[in-house]
Amino acid sequence: MSRKPGKKRSNILSSLLWLINLVLAFALLASYLAAYVNPEITTIFAFLGLAYPYLLGINVLFVLLWIIKGRRKLFLSLIVILIGYNHIHDHIQIMPGREASEEQDIIKVLSYNVQNMAHSNIGRKDDSVRDKVFGFLRSQKADIACLQEFSAMGKDTLQMSLTDFPDAFYINYNPKKDYRIDALIILTRIPYHNSGSLSVPGEYHNFGIFIDIIQDGDTIRVYNLHLESIRLQHEDYQFVEDVSKGQAEKETFEEGSKSILRKLHNAYQLRAKQTAVIVASLDQCPYPVIICGDFNDTPLSYAKHNISAGLKDAFVQAGHGMGNTFAGNLPPLRIDFILHSDVFTSYEFEVHKTSLSDHYPVSVYLGFRF
């Protein structure tokens, strides 16, 4: 007796879903390797790591689907999800962050990519945005503020006094451009006695700076990092917007996809080189560290994994929710971090939803456990 047509179609659909499940479960499993495989060898796993939140979500849906259908097939995605369970904590925190006590010896640390103080990547001056950024910094009353893409015309550093910080250290991204400030900067209320910069050997571009502060007789090194960006242009953002609206034509889709993938590939490889420089600096550092910065990479990435080795992630320790920090025209991502040695305890990590840049500022209170 032949099977009924409806039953046959159901079996075909179930087999197709299972095949898709197999592929996406394997993709999720492979995405975990993004933290371990150097992008200079291959960027395949880096791309999968970027897609991790979506791969995780789809595999959760497959678990629910097979539960509803009463199938043992649910164990495939479930086991793969459990293998990477620790990565979930890097992307979302369910419980509220710890609150600091007023009696504790704490400092407030803030990290903010201020996007040229103009909410623009083309260097166009905007005094209204600049004033609001300074106003935000004053309102936060941080002890240390690490800013990326700080911009000011001329060499006059007096503009920094508008932030109410008594001291500052900055170095231009391109040291040859000495006619203006286009820099990484650390603003501090705590005295410092040593400073330096980080760059890839053979290149003039500075992607990191550090200072050594003295707090209660102890020396602490504070890093401000800005790892290589994807360098997307207006046409790239327009392409993403067109795709999201279903308005991209086939030829445009192919060209736009290739452009973005190529830029991602190049950025992953350069960040791997920058990561090696940072790790070498950390290995030589004799002090506890605080690392702030725009990593331009996600929690499940080679850069984040290697830089944070042996350190605590302030969001994981004291954050709440998704923690997304990118405010531009791309899917929400957590790419701005505050990391620290375990001699500190994190309290009240916050992502400030202020729209003065394509990044949201992040801050945390750090308690000393010397």
Side-chain angles (χ1 to χ4, degrees):
M1 185 175 181
S2 62
R3 293 183 179 181
K4 295 181 180 180
K7 180 71 172 178
K8 186 175 181 179
R9 284 195 296 269
S10 177
N11 288 337
I12 292 174
L13 177 60
S14 182
S15 297
L16 179 60
L17 285 172
W18 177 237
L19 177 61
I20 295 172
N21 190 175
L22 282 169
V23 172
L24 293 176
F26 177 78
L28 177 60
L29 186 63
S31 74
Y32 302 153
L33 294 176
Y36 306 98
V37 178
N38 190 327
E40 291 186 276
I41 299 172
T42 177
T43 55
I44 291 175
F45 299 107
F47 282 109
L48 289 172
L50 183 64
Y52 165 79
Y54 305 99
L55 293 172
L56 175 64
I58 293 171
N59 276 274
V60 169
L61 291 177
F62 270 116
V63 171
L64 296 176
L65 171 67
W66 299 127
I67 288 176
I68 293 172
K69 287 182 168 290
R71 303 288 181 86
R72 293 181 180 179
K73 294 175 180 178
L74 69 93
F75 288 106
L76 173 64
S77 286
L78 182 60
I79 290 171
V80 172
I81 291 171
L82 291 176
I83 289 173
Y85 177 75
N86 289 336
H87 297 303
I88 297 176
H89 292 291
D90 289 335
H91 290 78
I92 184 170
Q93 292 296 311
I94 305 299
M95 303 301 293
R98 294 185 291 245
E99 293 187 5
S101 168
E102 293 183 1
E103 291 76 26
Q104 286 179 292
D105 183 14
I106 60 174
I107 61 172
K108 185 175 183 179
V109 179
L110 182 142
S111 182
Y112 192 8
N113 183 322
V114 294
Q115 199 184 12
N116 300 310
M117 314 288 284
H119 207 339
S120 167
N121 289 325
I122 58 177
R124 183 178 296 152
K125 188 177 180 181
D126 191 325
D127 288 334
S128 65
V129 174
R130 175 180 293 275
D131 292 342
K132 290 176 182 177
V133 170
F134 281 134
F136 171 79
L137 292 173
R138 287 194 296 270
S139 72
Q140 290 303 301
K141 301 186 185 304
D143 297 287
I144 298 170
C146 295
L147 308 182
Q148 304 87 42
E149 294 190 37
F150 180 87
S151 179
M153 294 305 296
K155 299 181 181 180
D156 185 8
T157 60
L158 292 177
Q159 295 184 64
M160 298 173 193
S161 65
L162 295 174
T163 63
D164 292 338
F165 285 88
D167 213 346
F169 172 69
Y170 77 93
I171 287 184
N172 274 4
Y173 289 101
N174 183 346
K176 297 179 181 179
K177 291 184 178 180
D178 58 357
Y179 58 89
R180 62 169 294 182
I181 298 173
D182 177 25
L184 288 154
I185 182 171
I186 301 176
L187 304 166
T188 177
R189 302 184 194 280
I190 305 170
Y192 73 92
H193 65 95
N194 183 40
S195 61
S197 63
L198 302 176
S199 60
V200 174
E203 297 188 6
Y204 61 82
H205 177 82
N206 295 307
F207 67 85
I209 60 175
F210 64 84
I211 62 173
D212 293 340
I213 62 173
I214 299 176
Q215 178 72 6
D216 297 332
D218 293 296
T219 301
I220 303 160
R221 178 160 294 179
V222 180
Y223 286 88
N224 183 11
L225 307 176
H226 187 187
L227 275 62
E228 179 68 12
S229 70
I230 307 171
R231 300 185 182 276
L232 297 181
Q233 303 298 317
H234 172 74
E235 56 268 22
D236 296 311
Y237 290 111
Q238 185 62 53
F239 166 72
V240 172
E241 184 177 343
D242 291 344
V243 170
S244 65
K245 294 180 180 179
Q247 299 175 350
E249 298 179 359
K250 181 179 179 181
E251 184 178 342
T252 304
F253 181 82
E254 291 178 355
E255 292 178 357
S257 299
K258 288 179 180 178
S259 173
I260 291 178
L261 289 174
R262 182 174 61 254
K263 290 177 180 180
L264 282 167
H265 173 83
N266 294 337
Y268 279 127
Q269 293 199 321
L270 184 49
R271 283 198 294 269
K273 294 178 181 178
Q274 293 172 336
T275 296
V277 174
I278 296 166
V279 170
S281 179
L282 289 171
D283 288 343
Q284 296 171 5
C285 178
Y287 313 119
V289 301
I290 299 170
I291 300 178
C292 298
D294 170 12
F295 286 19
N296 276 304
D297 225 332
T298 63
L300 184 54
S301 66
Y302 181 82
K304 165 60 166 50
H305 174 76
N306 284 273
I307 295 170
S308 64
L311 302 176
K312 301 294 184 182
D313 184 331
F315 167 75
V316 175
Q317 299 297 308
H320 179 65
M322 296 292 290
N324 300 324
T325 64
F326 185 70
N329 298 322
L330 288 175
L333 299 167
R334 183 164 80 96
I335 60 176
D336 300 86
F337 300 90
I338 299 178
L339 312 172
H340 58 81
S341 298
D342 59 7
V343 298
F344 304 103
T345 300
S346 300
Y347 300 95
E348 300 178 33
F349 181 93
E350 183 176 359
V351 179
H352 302 267
K353 301 294 184 177
T354 178
S355 57
L356 300 173
S357 166
D358 57 355
H359 291 250
Y360 296 127
V362 295
S363 67
V364 70
Y365 290 94
L366 295 179
F368 297 91
R369 297 194 287 115
F370 291 109

